[in-house]
Structures are given as structure tokens and as C-alpha cells.
Amino acid sequence: MHIVVCMKQVPDSAQIRVHPVTNTIMRQGVPTIINPYDLFALEEALRLRDRLGGEVTVLTMGPPMAEESLRKALTFGADRAVLLTDRAFAGSDTLATSFALAAALAKIGQEFGPVPIVFTGKQTIDGDTAQVGPGIAKRLGLNQLTYVARIADLDPDAGTITVERRAEGGLQVLSTRLPVLITMLEGVNEMRRGSLDDAYRAARAQVVRWSAADAGITELARCGLKGSPTIVKKVFAPQARAEKVQQVPTADRGTDELAVDVMAAIFRTRPTVEEDLLRFAAGQ
Amino acid sequence: MTDAPNTNAPRPAAGRAGTRRELPEHFKAYKHVWVAVECEHGIVHPVSLELLGEGRKLADKRGVELAGVVLAGDELTAATTAAAAFEHGADLVYTVTDPILAHYRNETYTRALTDLVNTHKPEILLLGATNLGRDLAGSVATTLQTGLTADCTELAIDDEGSLAATRPTFGGSLLCTILTLNYRPQMATVRPRVMSLPPREPGRWGRIVEQPLALAEEDVVTKVLRFIADRESDKAQLAYADIVVAGGLGLRSAENFQLVRALAEVLGGDYGGSRPLVQKGWITADRQIGQTGKTIRPKLYIAAGISGAIQHRVGVEGADTIVAINTDPNAPIFEFAHLGVVADAIELLPALTRAFQAHLSVNRLAG
Ligand SMILES: Cc1cc2nc3c(=O)[nH]c(=O)nc-3n(C[C@H](O)[C@H](O)[C@H](O)COP(=O)(O)OP(=O)(O)OC[C@H]3O[C@@H](n4cnc5c(N)ncnc54)[C@H](O)[C@@H]3O)c2cc1C
């Protein structure tokens, strides 16, 4: 079974700083990582391959440096890596991104064999939109399974799959036919360490590098900024709140006294909270 | 080459490539504001009602009607959901009622919603950023080849009549305002609890426009086999709790986290935590508060041993009163808390639990 995992190299946003004057992201020195949600997808793909045979291709669209993330994925055990990189993709929003990735997926199918399963993480940590997976599925006519918590059953011969999907208030057990696109929920597995063999292989591996033309994309107007219906009008820093914090004095206070002070301060600040609490206590 | 291609994150601002052009002729007929009203297992999701409140303001600003969209498996669900939409501000409700829609499936819902859009042409379409809403919105926007802005925190109509959708980007470090200029509808999702719930007007009613769904069950590939409801104990009411107590890494151990639960219980509230606690396995993912967790709007939020990183902040800013307990007087949480206590949470939490317990039982006896 040939499985493709779409992943993204993202800035480690925990370490991002905003320039105080220009309100732009200061990228210098910010480390990049594989989007953490994509690792759940990659691990799930590797497990299926280990069980059923076949191979795992990782695909990313990004700047040339995104190759680092692909190599990392190879050290975890992915078999092949494809980097889709072209100036024409600059400024892509989710619609333009899913267009380019779908084209690359189609090309991967032609070059390296049909792809019954495409995986992505549930969303990225920089964009947080969760839109690219569904966009790819729609463009390629794949059955779409988002927020998947568990693959309950997969029968490659019959071409069927059953999964548990996170929904409001519970899990939906869904069955559908391959080919599918699956977005994996977080926390469903743990990324393996990867073997020494994989590390050697990754170091020597050739990352396949495709331009828009290589991926068979002729409609450049559907890529990048031109192909993006959404336009960023402005970027700004969240406003600081005018109201100042009111500190509860702690000097000369034992813990129990301090607790009573804090409670009193809460009730002073928001009297309705005390009323609510008393109503709750009375109802117990 | 952008570093953030598959996002709504900062790209060159409008004016360069995205200059405002005349809206293409065939989009000029697109009018009215729509809210997809989410209903699973007979329960209308509160985020839809919150969106109707927001949609009402946008519709009034544009001088157009506000419509709810109800996709339902049976007449009763359709009727009760429509009623909720009217009572929360909709002028009319489009309904598609078909047994095929009894459970959410991407295929069927995408088809029903895109058919509605193509027939009745809304200029703005809003959905909740729930699992259902995001799954559906992504497919519908791709099918319609239009723009979709995820997880907005503010929606407005700009001077030229476009939807200006503001959302956090880069994990909440920045906000950006996004327009969908030359495509219709303009689509956006909003997370639960980001917008406030509009007051319910009992008995308020409007027009219902029904549309059939030309789709047979045999033609739908994906089947819902079963629904495994969460155990009662797993159901976090976090997003809608009036009182939330949360802990962070400052608590130092899973055992100490129990102090948070104990206080929450005495206060009749719910509990949650910062993201590292999920990673450490002290709490489950549905208890994470913040940018990549839940947004909350409680009356009282007590944060114990939480530094107040921007990603946490954006999830709690809607709280009425934020109380921060932190040993570090320079912790960022003190920049947005209303009440600050520079103290050891591991000692103060049990003392607070005792204090509230004593106060509540005394006053209960007195009352
Ligand atoms: C993409 C992305 C998304 C994220 N999403 C979220 C999210 O949704 N929610 C979230 O919370 N975080 C999120 N984060 C993580 C966030 O950036 C912070 O790392 C996290 O919130 C810090 O958690 P913390 O405050 O518990 O821990 P720390 O930052 O380690 O802070 C611990 C605090 O406890 C204090 N302390 C220590 N001992 C005590 C004591 N005995 N008593 C009282 N105080 C004490 C310390 O002074 C310190 O301020 C995200 C990060 C990224 C990159």
C-alpha cells in the first residue's frame, strides 16, 4: 500500500517574537519544526506500512529549506520525500495550497504508484485553519475522514476502511471506500525514534524536488497570491488592556489568611460571583 | 516563497497583488448573511446561536436579511433548530430535511450546503469552528472556489462593504484582518465562546424556505456505523462553565494538579490547564485552554501556576474576572489578570478550597 503524508515545516511558534515597532514576525533565529500534528499522521502511516507492506511518501510544499523536515521524516522511517517548491507558490492561502498539493499528489500517483491513502495532521500550528486537508480531498475526489482518533479496520483488497472520528459529544464510527484522505487527531500515537538504518538512509537519500512545472501545474494563476481568494489587509499586535492588575497584598499573611483575602477580593471585584456560588451551594 | 503557505497567515497585504477590483458581474447577485446552524443528536450547538448574534449585526450593517441554514434528518429536528435560529435573530431559515442528513457526513452536508449557496447566493456564510463546521467549511469553500477565514475573533463590514475577518495568527502572537474580495460567498468560521450569546427572543419567528436534496443513500459512499457517546465523566463542559480553575506547569506534578480539581469542585465549576499539561498527560486534550485548546468565557477564571503565554491568553481573555496565582511577579499573566496573587499555588489552592468551603457552608446555614 502506497501512503502519502502531507506535512508542513512551521516556525516553532512558542519561540516567535513580534517586532515591537513594525509588528512583523521576527523569524531570524526561530527554529523550524515539523508541524507537530503531522507527526501523528506520519506515525499512523508508518504503522500501516509496517503491518501491511508498501511504502510511505512524505510531501511538503515550502521553501527549499523545508527539505530539512522531509529528511527528518526519512529518519523516522518514511521511504520517499517530495519537496514541492517554486516561487509561484509564494503567498498561497489554503485554497491555493490545496490546489498545488493536489496536483503534486496526482503526479506522485503517476510516478510512484496509486495512492489509496493520504494523511495530514488535523491542522498546522502556524495557520491553525484545518482547511488544507479537506481542500485536497475535495479536489482529488477522495473520501474525507477528518479528526480521526483510530483506524479500526482497513481492508486494502476490498478497498474499505473503518475509522473512529471525533465528533461533538462522542466518536462517530464511519466506514468508507478507498481512496481516502485522513486528518489525524492529536495524541493518538507516539512518534517512533527511528532506527540507525533509517538515519543512514535519510542522510544519503535524494529528496525529490519539483517545481510547479514538474508537478504538471500549468495554471499558475491558481497558485500563490494570484490563486488566493483571501487577501491579508492588515497585520497588527493584540492590544494591551488598559485596566491594571490589582495585586492582593501577600506580606505578613499566612496562607489561610491570604486565601480569605483573595476570596474577599474576588467578591469585591465581581459580587455576582458570590451570589452564584451561594446559589450553587444551596442547590447541592 | 512564503514560510506559511497553507495558512491564512500574513502574506503581502492587499494593494500589491490583491488590489480591490470591481466584483465580477456574476457575484453581484450574492446578498444576505447566512449562518449554518449546527445540530448533532438533536442539540443545537451554542456556537451557532453566538454566530447568529454576530450575523445579525453584519446583516443590519449591510441592510440585508439574516438567514439560518438548517440541515436535518427529520422534520422535528428541522423545526426545533429553525425555532432556535429565529429566536436568536434569523429573519428566515433555509432547511434541507432528509434522512440522509441524520448524521453528519462530509459528502451529504457539503452537497446540501453548496446546492443552497448556488441557488440562493449569500454574500457571507458563517460556520462554527467545531469539528463539524471546519470539516464542512473547508469542503464547501473548495467546491465553491472561494475564500475561507478560519477561527475569526472579530467580524466586521469595512467601508467598502466587504467582510473584514480578524483572526489570530502565529499562535496568537499577532492578529490579521482578511478580506475575500473578488469571490462569493465570503466565508468564515468562529470558535465557540468567542462571540457572546445574543439574548433569546421567545416566540420570534420568520420565513422558512425548504429545499430538497437530490441525493440517494445508495450514492453516498461513507456510512455511519455507530456513535460512541462520551462517558459522562469525559464530558468537559469547560467552554460553557461559569467558573473555571486551571493549572499550569507551576504545579509541578500530576498529584498537585488534584488541588485544581478540588477547588473547581467546591466552586461548582470545571477545570482545565495549559498545554504542557496535556503533553505531560496530567489532563486530557479536551481540557486544554488556549489557542489550540478551548476558548472559555467564564465569570471567574482562576489560573494557578500558569505563566500566561500569548497562546494561553487568547483562550481566556473573554473571562469576566481573571485571578492569577503565580510565584513570579513578572509573569506575563499579570499583564491581563484582574486580580493577581504572588504566591505558591501549591499552598494557596488548598487554603482557597478551605476558605470557599467554609464561607459557602456558613452562608448556606445562615440562609
Ligand atoms: C502553536 C502553539 C500553540 C499553543 N497553544 C497553547 C494553548 O492552547 N494553551 C496553552 O496554555 N499553551 C499553548 N501553547 C504553549 C504556550 O506557549 C506556553 O508554553 C504554555 O502556555 C506554558 O504553560 P505554563 O504556563 O503552564 O508553563 P510555564 O510557562 O512553564 O509557566 C509556569 C509558571 O508557573 C509559575 N510557577 C512555578 N512554580 C509555581 C508555584 N509553586 N506556584 C505558582 N506559580 C508557580 C512560574 O512562575 C511560571 O510563570 C502553545 C504553544 C504553541 C507553540
Side-chain angles (χ1 to χ4, degrees):
Chain A
M1 169 147 321
H2 183 199
I3 302 172
V4 179
V5 182
C6 297
M7 40 177 245
K8 185 182 180 192
Q9 185 176 53
V10 294
D12 184 351
S13 50
Q15 310 204 33
I16 278 183
R17 297 288 168 269
V18 176
H19 192 283
V21 178
T22 59
N23 276 341
T24 50
I25 294 279
M26 300 195 285
R27 293 170 198 275
Q28 275 82 8
V30 176
T32 52
I33 52 175
I34 296 179
N35 174 40
Y37 293 120
D38 299 345
L39 295 178
F40 301 112
L42 177 56
E43 175 61 27
E44 206 59 30
L46 294 172
R47 287 182 189 189
L48 288 181
R49 178 206 59 190
D50 294 348
R51 193 154 59 82
L52 302 168
E55 44 181 18
V56 170
T57 299
V58 286
L59 165 66
T60 196
M61 172 176 123
M65 70 179 275
E67 180 170 328
E68 273 169 46
S69 290
L70 291 172
R71 274 193 197 282
K72 183 91 194 159
L74 291 171
T75 68
F76 289 134
D79 302 284
R80 180 187 300 110
V82 178
L83 172 62
L84 183 62
T85 188
D86 199 309
R87 290 244 146 236
F89 301 135
S92 297
D93 73 354
T94 54
L95 196 76
T97 301
S98 69
F99 173 75
L101 285 173
L105 276 159
K107 181 80 178 176
I108 286 174
Q110 285 166 17
E111 295 271 312
F112 307 115
V115 184
I117 305 184
V118 178
F119 276 105
T120 75
K122 78 163 188 185
Q123 66 196 56
T124 62
I125 61 165
D126 56 350
D128 271 337
T129 69
Q131 289 165 7
V132 171
I136 294 171
K138 199 47 74 198
R139 288 174 187 284
L140 294 175
L142 309 174
N143 292 309
Q144 165 173 335
L145 301 167
T146 53
Y147 304 103
V148 169
R150 194 170 85 88
I151 296 173
D153 190 50
L154 172 63
D155 185 339
D157 300 325
T160 56
I161 186 168
T162 304
V163 303
E164 291 171 10
R165 164 177 194 274
R166 175 47 53 194
E168 206 61 40
L171 293 169
Q172 257 187 344
V173 184
L174 292 173
S175 80
T176 194
R177 279 207 296 272
L178 305 178
V180 293
L181 178 132
I182 295 175
T183 80
M184 287 304 289
L185 206 60
E186 70 278 6
V188 295
N189 58 35
E190 204 168 328
M191 178 44 84
R192 62 192 59 196
R193 283 180 168 275
S195 67
L196 217 50
D197 274 355
D198 286 326
Y200 284 133
R201 200 174 42 82
R204 289 194 312 266
Q206 274 287 333
V207 168
V208 179
R209 195 182 269 222
W210 284 344
S211 65
D214 296 334
I217 297 173
T218 49
E219 299 165 279
L220 289 183
R222 297 179 72 181
C223 298
L225 214 50
K226 279 202 216 97
S228 299
T230 61
I231 300 297
V232 178
K233 190 182 172 203
K234 68 172 176 176
V235 180
F236 55 104
Q239 243 187 353
R241 218 193 35 208
E243 207 180 331
K244 268 281 199 229
V245 63
Q246 177 194 334
Q247 288 287 357
V248 180
T250 52
D252 311 321
R253 291 316 243 178
T255 306
D256 283 306
E257 288 171 292
L258 179 58
V260 172
D261 289 354
V262 171
M263 182 173 69
I266 291 172
F267 292 161
R268 237 188 352 265
T269 316
R270 207 69 64 191
T272 53
V273 166
E274 183 173 16
E275 291 157 26
D276 289 344
L277 285 177
L278 288 170
R279 214 172 303 124
F280 166 72
Q284 264 193 331
Chain B
M1 175 68 55
T2 167
D3 309 34
N6 62 356
T7 69
N8 285 330
R11 282 171 280 118
R16 293 245 300 273
T19 30
R20 199 181 284 268
R21 280 170 283 152
E22 181 80 350
L23 187 67
E25 203 55 42
H26 60 285
F27 283 135
K28 287 193 175 150
Y30 282 64
K31 224 173 157 176
H32 305 305
V33 176
W34 287 14
V35 172
V37 185
E38 179 173 327
C39 176
E40 268 189 299
H41 312 288
I43 300 162
V44 178
H45 199 295
V47 70
S48 307
L49 308 178
E50 293 158 14
L51 275 177
L52 284 161
E54 203 58 25
R56 183 72 262 166
K57 293 180 213 159
L58 299 177
D60 291 346
K61 186 89 194 279
R62 290 291 290 146
V64 298
E65 287 189 309
L66 173 67
V69 175
V70 174
L71 310 179
D74 58 83
E75 298 292 341
L76 181 64
T77 306
T80 51
T81 311
F86 288 133
E87 292 186 342
H88 290 85
D91 300 309
L92 74 156
V93 168
Y94 295 101
T95 58
V96 183
T97 310
D98 191 305
I100 282 183
L101 301 173
H103 300 284
Y104 176 74
R105 283 177 291 179
N106 177 272
E107 254 171 296
T108 52
Y109 273 57
T110 299
R111 174 68 180 277
L113 187 52
T114 43
D115 281 358
L116 274 175
V117 167
N118 286 327
T119 313
H120 299 285
K121 305 185 178 359
E123 71 179 337
I124 294 174
L125 171 56
L126 309 176
L127 296 95
T130 57
N131 285 6
L132 187 160
R134 286 169 144 216
D135 186 275
L136 180 59
S139 299
V140 169
T142 311
T143 308
L144 297 170
Q145 295 283 301
T146 189
L148 167 59
T149 307
D151 290 14
C152 302
T153 50
E154 210 185 305
L155 298 173
I157 301 292
D158 76 2
D159 294 342
E160 289 164 80
S162 298
L163 176 69
T166 299
R167 73 181 304 261
T169 180
F170 286 106
S173 324
L174 286 176
L175 297 170
C176 58
T177 301
I178 291 174
L179 308 176
T180 297
L181 288 184
N182 301 314
Y183 302 83
R184 291 291 179 270
Q186 306 162 88
M187 289 180 62
T189 65
V190 175
R191 296 170 53 160
R193 292 302 254 166
V194 169
M195 308 296 182
S196 55
L197 190 67
R200 175 173 168 249
E201 293 178 53
R204 194 175 176 282
W205 199 255
R207 304 188 324 274
I208 292 189
V209 178
E210 289 179 37
Q211 174 146 318
L213 179 64
L215 196 58
E217 181 60 48
E218 305 84 75
D219 301 330
V220 184
V221 176
T222 303
K223 305 289 177 194
V224 179
L225 303 183
R226 220 149 20 102
F227 184 78
I228 309 169
D230 292 335
R231 279 175 293 133
E232 211 50 48
S233 59
D234 292 342
K235 275 188 200 157
Q237 288 307 312
L238 201 50
Y240 290 89
D242 274 341
I243 295 179
V244 174
V245 186
L249 274 185
L251 293 176
R252 292 208 287 272
S253 72
E255 291 69 53
N256 287 336
F257 188 82
Q258 299 310 315
L259 305 175
V260 166
R261 297 182 62 163
L263 179 57
E265 196 170 319
V266 164
L267 298 178
D270 210 338
Y271 68 90
S274 63
R275 181 159 99 156
L277 307 205
V278 178
Q279 285 156 343
K280 284 181 174 292
W282 299 0
I283 55 172
T284 51
D286 59 344
R287 301 247 173 221
Q288 180 187 321
I289 298 168
Q291 169 73 18
T292 48
K294 294 236 152 69
T295 302
I296 60 173
R297 284 179 92 89
K299 293 182 182 166
L300 176 63
Y301 178 57
I302 301 179
I306 294 181
S307 57
I310 185 73
Q311 296 89 357
H312 189 80
R313 176 178 179 164
V314 294
V316 302
E317 264 176 331
D320 263 0
T321 305
I322 300 172
V323 181
I325 306 167
N326 197 304
T327 42
D328 174 7
N330 297 316
I333 193 149
F334 291 127
E335 285 163 26
F336 60 94
H338 302 88
L339 279 178
V341 192
V342 179
D344 185 342
I346 299 165
E347 286 175 26
L348 188 59
L349 280 173
L352 269 176
T353 305
R354 288 194 295 274
F356 277 108
Q357 213 158 23
H359 181 77
L360 295 177
S361 59
V362 165
N363 282 279
R364 181 159 47 143
L365 291 177

